[in-house]
Amino acid sequence: MDTKLYLVRLGEISLKGLNRDFFEKRLRHNIKDKLRPWNSTCTRQKGRLYFEIDAKCPDEIADRAFSTTFGVVGFSQAVRCEKSFDAIVEATKRLISSPPFDDGTGSFKVEASRSDKSFPLNSYQIACELGGVVLDRYPGMHVDVRHPERILFCEIRNDAYLYTSLRKGLGGLPVSCAGKGMLLLSGGIDSPVAGWRMARRGLKQECIYFHAYPYTSEMALEKVKSLAAILAPYLQGTRLHVVPFTDSQLWIRDHSNEEEHTLMMRACMMKVANALAEKSEALCLVTGEALGQVASQTLESMAFTDGMSERVVLRPLVGMDKEEIIATAMKIGSYETSILPYEDCCVIFSPKHPLVRPDATVETDHFHAMAIEGLLDKAVAETSTYDFGVDGRILRSSCDSEA
Ligand code: ATP
Ligand code: MG
């Protein structure tokens, strides 16, 4: 099989001591999942993974596999050759006949490193020799070691590796290393970013969306499905649970004081999310709340909703400003979808003057007095699911299996 080679740099996970194998195995697995159906093999050498992938796999797909997988700090498409000076020179000549060297003008430098100290030339000598090869071929080029327009990298390890591009990865920890959580995914800007940030710390997540049809439109659901699809590569695939929430919302409207509606709704979300987490064996909930962003995101409100959850509620955006959240949303590609104008269920039933500093004991009593548990159980039972693959495509939905 004709193959192409990618070299992957690991950051934090190469420092993991005794647990390093566990993290590395997960990372290999997560990358390979994205390279299916192309054959790939992976080997490891000190702080690096080397992937050999069927040459038929398009570059965009390979690039996406490395650039969307947490745990990858950097990656390069590389060529490998025998560790002899002549072979390295030949490989260099081939490599510089293609971009970004082949225009033959401007500046460059050679960055060489040698972990095998038995190689007869040291790093500086390798850089000088290969610099000479480039200049022989392209006399119009010049060396600039401080601000080069392009770099030729040469690493002498078990073999010699040469490459001319070094792309940044996302860093973090491989998804699934830190267990599983349930992400409360609304159609807004914040919750996709919250999910992305927890995925970066290795948390696998399924998503939950509370849908109050027809008060929230089919388009609102489509928007959340699009957001789940955008998140799916980062989450290594995900399941979206769509909870029918209309009856519960109407019950809240008719059985609680107006200023408590949002709090009661959030309490119901916690109860349902915990029940779904139980079924999915997830250990925590994740929300996009940020301290002080809206009335339901005060410390008192968060304390109340925490009390309604049996599982820890992670709020990775709690200390972030909206501008920072928007910048991340743009980076991960969710922003444009999040700002589509379809209302969330929170907005539709939200009171004019919500309680800002609720007393958790009083509100907990009010929640129980509503006797809404039966409706919530029904909502859990009637929840539908959509499974998204690592490429963001829907693989199956519970609606299909019922049909
Ligand atoms: P977002 O931008 O994520 O919608 P927000 O600033 O609009 O957040 P709220 O509407 O108060 O804030 O919601 C806070 C969090 O509660 C959301 O980040 C999300 O995690 C969760 N949430 C709100 N509405 C829903 C919903 N319909 N389905 C699932 N989760 C929701
Ligand atoms: Mg919202």
Side-chain angles (χ1 to χ4, degrees):
M1 174 177 80
D2 241 7
T3 59
K4 51 186 165 192
L5 177 73
Y6 280 80
L7 177 164
V8 175
R9 281 186 180 68
L10 314 175
E12 198 173 336
I13 71 171
S14 56
L15 306 173
K16 286 285 176 197
L18 292 178
N19 285 330
R20 198 181 63 192
D21 266 3
F22 165 73
F23 286 92
E24 272 190 19
K25 262 200 196 125
R26 179 46 67 177
L27 179 60
R28 286 174 192 224
H29 176 277
N30 289 353
I31 294 173
K32 279 190 162 208
D33 242 7
K34 294 182 181 169
L35 293 172
R36 250 184 271 280
W38 289 276
N39 272 327
S40 61
T41 54
C42 174
T43 50
R44 181 177 96 194
Q45 273 178 50
K46 288 186 220 134
R48 295 277 160 87
L49 294 179
Y50 295 89
F51 276 86
E52 289 205 52
I53 309 168
D54 185 340
K56 289 197 232 48
C57 172
D59 281 352
E60 307 91 79
I61 290 189
D63 284 359
R64 209 175 316 132
F66 298 112
S67 65
T68 61
T69 302
F70 291 110
V72 172
V73 166
F75 62 98
S76 304
Q77 195 170 350
V79 296
R80 175 178 34 211
C81 66
E82 187 193 303
K83 237 177 348 185
S84 77
F85 183 68
D86 290 346
I88 293 170
V89 168
E90 279 317 304
T92 299
K93 284 181 180 164
R94 277 200 305 280
L95 199 59
I96 63 175
S97 344
S98 40
F101 276 83
D102 60 346
D103 63 0
T105 59
S107 62
F108 78 99
K109 82 165 172 177
V110 179
E111 225 175 85
S113 67
R114 178 184 69 144
S115 64
D116 172 5
K117 304 293 179 205
S118 69
F119 191 73
L121 303 181
N122 65 26
S123 304
Y124 178 71
Q125 291 165 324
I126 300 168
C128 292
E129 291 293 338
L130 297 188
V133 173
V134 176
L135 290 172
D136 280 349
R137 170 79 190 268
Y138 301 122
M141 276 194 172
H142 64 276
V143 175
D144 180 345
V145 288
R146 291 177 136 225
H147 305 290
E149 289 166 79
R150 45 185 93 61
I151 305 180
L152 170 68
F153 296 89
C154 174
E155 296 182 2
I156 313 289
R157 296 178 157 234
N158 290 6
D159 295 293
Y161 297 91
L162 293 147
Y163 51 95
T164 53
S165 97
L166 204 173
R167 295 201 35 199
K168 241 173 113 70
L170 296 171
L173 299 174
V175 164
S176 287
C177 283
K180 182 154 79 171
M182 302 301 268
L183 168 66
L184 276 71
L185 182 65
S186 69
I189 296 169
D190 304 327
S191 42
V193 174
W196 185 88
R197 288 182 68 110
M198 289 322 303
R200 193 163 67 159
R201 298 311 300 162
L203 189 70
K204 174 89 190 151
Q205 290 158 86
E206 296 184 9
C207 308
I208 303 176
Y209 171 58
F210 294 89
H211 189 38
Y213 184 79
Y215 297 94
T216 46
S217 65
E218 271 307 314
M219 293 307 286
L221 171 59
E222 288 309 311
K223 175 177 165 182
V224 172
K225 280 162 70 181
S226 305
L227 290 171
I230 291 166
L231 283 179
Y234 300 112
L235 302 184
Q236 294 297 136
T238 189
R239 170 169 283 185
L240 171 65
H241 301 257
V242 178
V243 181
F245 207 41
T246 315
D247 292 348
S248 308
Q249 295 256 56
L250 294 174
W251 188 270
I252 293 167
R253 187 189 65 186
D254 298 339
H255 294 82
S256 65
N257 301 322
E258 191 191 328
E259 69 269 20
E260 295 174 311
H261 285 173
T262 308
L263 285 170
M264 294 302 135
M265 187 194 64
R266 301 202 67 77
C268 291
M269 287 182 174
M270 291 295 127
K271 294 290 176 197
V272 170
N274 273 277
L276 294 173
E278 178 78 34
K279 286 192 187 181
S280 294
E281 299 182 357
L283 294 182
C284 67
L285 308 183
V286 178
T287 77
E289 293 162 286
L291 188 61
Q293 202 189 72
V294 289
S296 60
Q297 297 178 19
T298 59
L299 272 186
E300 290 84 348
S301 301
M302 290 186 195
F304 167 65
T305 43
D306 276 356
M308 288 289 147
S309 177
E310 292 154 34
R311 288 167 178 74
V312 59
V313 182
L314 299 178
R315 300 179 173 92
L317 311 188
V318 75
M320 285 175 77
D321 286 354
K322 198 75 186 184
E323 285 71 33
E324 296 172 67
I325 299 169
I326 288 175
T328 312
M330 287 179 165
K331 173 171 147 180
I332 67 183
S334 60
Y335 182 73
E336 294 301 326
T337 304
S338 287
I339 59 172
L340 293 173
Y342 310 114
E343 303 262 51
D344 183 25
C345 62
C346 300
V347 179
I348 286 164
F349 293 93
S350 66
K352 277 195 214 70
H353 302 290
L355 270 186
V356 178
R357 309 212 176 284
D359 177 316
T361 320
V362 173
E363 297 310 321
T364 305
D365 286 348
H366 288 185
F367 173 78
H368 291 301
M370 281 198 307
I372 197 172
E373 282 82 358
L375 272 184
L376 299 182
D377 291 344
K378 187 162 172 278
V380 170
E382 291 174 0
T383 291
S384 45
T385 59
Y386 298 83
D387 289 340
F388 292 77
V390 285
D391 59 359
R393 268 189 294 202
I394 296 180
L395 304 174
R396 69 189 83 78
S397 84
S398 57
C399 314
D400 300 341
S401 39
E402 281 155 20

